[in-house]
Amino acid sequence: MNAEIETPITRLYAISNGTSLNFDPSGPYLIASWLGFAMSEEFRSFLDKSIGLIEEKVKEHGKLGWISDFREGKAVLDEDVQWATENWNSRASEAGLQYNALIIPENLFLGLAANDYKETTEQVEGIVVKRFKDIESARVWLSEVLNN
């Protein structure tokens, strides 16, 4: 009898407001779970820290997806969305990230910011971005694209 063994999700990094970066080896993917509002410095340092973790996990697994879970987030400043698009994306792509699943809440401001991010990302970088309303749909998509 082959029972499926669930692999634990590991917390790799967190900032003071509770926003965390977790690793799920079943994807494999990193899950950025945004909580509340992050000041620009926290937002950017969180994403800066993720670059080394992306490189590490790509070396270990050969592939990696990213889930940006904004369901518990409050807002992202326009300047930070622009910074992520123009700065973080190229570094994340160079580190080996190819797919980003955005989980968008009902919160209008985050939905608009994530929409701007998605449109710009698709035009400039090699990261494929797709929006979802729940984490399970994001995982299904990432499993499909990472295993093809």
Side-chain angles (χ1 to χ4, degrees):
M1 174 168 34
N2 283 340
E4 262 190 60
I5 299 172
E6 285 199 33
T7 14
I9 293 175
T10 307
R11 176 160 291 164
L12 301 177
Y13 183 66
I15 58 176
S16 63
N17 76 345
T19 293
S20 62
L21 186 61
N22 304 300
F23 177 67
D24 183 341
S26 71
Y29 30 77
L30 291 170
I31 304 167
S33 297
W34 298 93
L35 296 178
F37 176 76
M39 300 299 289
S40 288
E41 186 176 312
E42 284 183 313
F43 178 85
R44 294 176 189 207
S45 69
F46 180 87
L47 289 177
D48 282 340
K49 173 73 173 173
S50 74
I51 298 298
L53 295 169
I54 291 167
E55 289 172 340
E56 175 187 318
K57 295 304 179 187
V58 168
K59 283 180 187 173
E60 286 178 22
H61 299 274
K63 58 186 176 182
L64 183 71
W66 178 280
I67 296 175
S68 297
D69 186 355
F70 288 106
R71 292 174 297 168
E72 300 295 324
K74 297 295 180 212
V76 177
L77 298 175
D78 290 343
E79 307 87 65
D80 291 332
V81 172
Q82 183 175 356
W83 177 87
T85 301
E86 295 173 356
N87 184 302
W88 183 81
N89 278 352
S90 60
R91 294 185 299 136
S93 179
E94 288 171 16
L97 186 67
Q98 296 178 327
Y99 302 99
N100 183 351
L102 296 175
I103 301 172
I104 307 303
E106 298 300 318
N107 176 322
L108 177 63
F109 295 111
L110 275 173
L112 291 173
N115 198 32
D116 290 346
Y117 174 87
K118 179 182 182 241
E119 290 170 6
T120 307
T121 301
E122 288 180 338
Q123 294 173 8
V124 257
E125 295 302 332
I127 299 174
V128 177
V129 179
K130 191 167 179 178
R131 290 177 61 164
F132 298 91
K133 291 187 178 185
D134 61 75
I135 198 161
E136 280 313 309
S137 299
R139 286 180 168 157
V140 167
W141 174 69
L142 284 172
S143 292
E144 288 172 3
V145 295
L146 289 171
N147 294 308
N148 282 333

